[in-house]
Structures are given as C-alpha cells and as structure tokens.
Amino acid sequence: PCHCFQAGAAAGVLQVGSTTKKNACSTSMVKSASSPPDAIPMSQTWDPNSYQKNAAFVADLGTPVLDLLKPKTHETILDLGCGDGALTQKLAERGCRVVGIDASAEQVAGARKRGLEAHVMDGINIRLEQQFDAVFSNAALHWMSDPDAVISGVKRVLKPQGRFVAECGGHGNILNIRNAMEKALRARGIDASKLNPWYFPTVEEYSSKLTAAGFIIDSIELFPRPTQLPGDVVGWLQTFGESYMKAVPEDEHEAVLAEVREELRPLSEDENGVWFSDYVRLRFAAHLE
C-alpha cells in the first residue's frame, strides 16, 4: 500500500454513498503505546489522487481476501496497510469495528477523509495497546522490509485465537516489470539490484515464518493473477516505481519510462491495446491458539 504498505483504520462518521451514518464505533478504540509520528521516512511516497487514478484496482480486487477473512459484525479488526481506506471502509460497512494503520501520512489522510479512524504507523513497529479479533492486510505486506517483525507485531495485537488474513505480492510478482526497469537503469550505469523495495516470499518461506511465530495456518496459496491496468504500464511505474526512478536524473525520466514501456509491450499489451501487469499473489489465513 503504504500499500505500507504498506498498511490503516475506521470509526466515527462513515460516508456511504450520498448519506452519512454513524459507524458502530463512534470514538477511537485505540491507544498507541507511544505517540505516532506525523510521517515515517519511506523510499516510496503516495499521492492518494494518483493512487486512485492508477491503482484503484488494488482495492477492487481485494474482495476475495475480504471473503477469506469472514468478518463478523462487531468484531474488532486492524487493517494493516490500509492505504486510502477503500477496503477499510468495506469492513466498516459490514459492521466491523475497524482501525487502520499505514506508514504514509498522505494515505492516512485519505482514509480519514472517508470518516475512518486511521493512524500513521509503520507495519514493522506496531505500537497499539488495543487487541483485535483479526488483522487484515491487502497489497501491503510486500512493502514491509522485516517480515518477522511484522508477524511478531501482528501476534502481539491479536486476541487468543485471533486471525491473520492477508494477500500480498508473492514469489515471481511483477518479474517482467522488474526486469525491464533494471535493464533500463543498467544501460545508464545504475546498479538497480539494491533498489528493489519489495519482499515477495514463497509459500514455504512465509509458512515457516508464520509457524515459527506460533500461528496455525488454515490456508496459504501462491497463484498468478495477471491484472488489467487502467492505462499503459507508465501509470503503474509512476505510482509504484519511485524507488527506481529516484536513481534516475529527472531529465531522463521520460526516456526511461518510454524504454520500459517498449520493452514490456510484447509481454504486457494484448491485441486490443489493453495492458496487464504480471501479478503473482500470496494469500493466506492463519490463527493463534
């Protein structure tokens, strides 16, 4: 997210369509163990308007993992990497008492505009006193550099028998995009090997981490999900590829993006001119005893 998450929250007045109604939780449920900062240093920054334009599909495709969560009315749920709150709002509309956290102050501000309770907080350092029935995360865990710290923090804020349900990028995710971007940077003498901001684990790797932390795995799967983009790949790169583009002189940005687009065209554009990203997703549900 921060699609953090990159990872976010809900309570108070919830906007639904053209009407306004009170959420089940009308005041903040969460006390932070320490006051969270207004912003957290990140290699990727987020513009909610740009995100909505180029990446609305992230939340639109989150319904299956919401269904896997099986949220119940009045459950307390932490949305880890809430982003602009699109899925957080769906949880609130199902009657859940939901809180979101995200490392991006801009995304948290977007979530709050929806009437949600959201806090600026890094997913690798969750500082909450509240305990939750479940922790939910969509398209955020792969932005968090220390998965063991994330899983430990999730465990700490879960009630006994609490659930951890999430989907993120998995092994092989956006391989074509990464290869094309790294090729364009190498041509300019830039070592792109250290610029990759993502963590895309295998089933075996993430299963071992969950089990070592004391989670019982209910289901876990890795699957390809080619995802249609709203435009060509340039919009995707401008939204998600900041860690790479920061290494490129600004006056070369346009040329790099054009090169990457042409490199990807035979792999990512269909005969109708529709572009797809080569997504591979890791989806899992686990619980504590």
Side-chain angles (χ1 to χ4, degrees):
C2 247
H3 279 83
C4 130
F5 24 69
Q6 256 95 96
V13 178
L14 176 65
Q15 302 290 336
V16 182
S18 60
T19 62
T20 302
K21 66 178 181 180
K22 285 285 184 177
N23 186 6
C25 179
S26 59
T27 59
S28 174
M29 298 183 294
V30 171
K31 293 183 178 180
S32 172
S34 61
S35 298
D38 292 330
I40 295 168
M42 300 170 65
S43 62
Q44 172 76 33
T45 57
W46 302 99
D47 176 353
N49 294 325
S50 175
Y51 190 87
Q52 183 62 32
K53 175 184 176 182
N54 294 313
F57 64 85
V58 173
D60 294 342
L61 295 173
T63 299
V65 72
L66 275 180
D67 293 340
L68 184 62
L69 176 65
K70 298 181 177 67
K72 302 177 182 65
T73 302
H74 303 309
E75 276 194 318
T76 55
I77 297 176
L78 175 65
D79 185 352
L80 175 59
C82 61
D84 65 0
L87 286 177
T88 321
Q89 184 167 357
K90 290 185 178 182
L91 284 168
E93 289 170 353
R94 295 190 186 195
C96 301
R97 305 176 66 191
V98 57
V99 173
I101 61 173
D102 200 287
S104 166
E106 293 81 8
Q107 291 284 61
V108 166
R112 288 173 177 169
K113 285 182 179 179
R114 297 176 184 266
L116 303 170
E117 181 188 339
H119 303 276
V120 178
M121 192 174 296
D122 197 323
I124 65 174
N125 186 22
I126 302 173
R127 304 174 313 282
L128 298 173
E129 295 178 1
Q130 170 81 14
Q131 285 199 308
F132 298 86
D133 296 299
V135 173
F136 167 83
S137 184
N138 181 62
L141 296 178
H142 53 256
W143 289 98
M144 304 179 202
S145 60
D146 188 341
D148 294 307
V150 173
I151 293 170
S152 177
V154 168
K155 180 181 180 180
R156 190 167 55 248
V157 298
L158 278 175
K159 298 176 182 178
Q161 299 166 355
R163 314 188 307 285
F164 183 21
V165 177
E167 181 178 307
C168 62
H171 183 68
N173 191 53
I174 57 169
L175 182 61
N176 292 336
I177 293 175
R178 286 183 281 145
N179 286 342
M181 179 61 80
E182 290 174 11
K183 179 180 178 179
L185 267 60
R186 281 196 304 271
R188 290 164 172 78
I190 300 170
D191 180 6
S193 63
K194 299 178 181 179
L195 300 178
N196 185 341
W198 302 296
Y199 168 67
F200 296 141
T202 64
V203 165
E204 294 76 16
E205 181 181 358
Y206 211 80
S207 294
S208 67
K209 292 182 181 297
L210 288 169
T211 302
F215 281 92
I216 297 168
I217 298 172
D218 301 304
S219 65
I220 186 166
E221 60 177 328
L222 183 73
F223 57 95
R225 193 196 68 196
T227 300
Q228 182 176 335
L229 300 177
D232 65 24
V233 73
V234 169
W236 190 99
L237 293 168
Q238 291 172 329
T239 303
F240 296 111
E242 185 175 343
S243 64
Y244 290 104
M245 296 307 297
K246 279 181 176 179
V248 177
E250 190 170 350
D251 61 357
E252 295 186 43
H253 280 200
E254 186 174 343
V256 167
L257 293 173
E259 285 179 29
V260 173
R261 178 176 56 211
E262 293 312 305
E263 181 76 17
L264 288 170
R265 190 180 296 278
L267 300 171
S268 303
E269 185 184 23
D270 70 10
E271 64 276 9
N272 297 314
V274 178
W275 285 75
F276 292 82
S277 58
D278 55 324
Y279 276 20
V280 178
R281 313 312 281 174
L282 182 75
R283 184 185 296 162
F284 66 86
H287 71 277
L288 297 173
E289 292 190 82

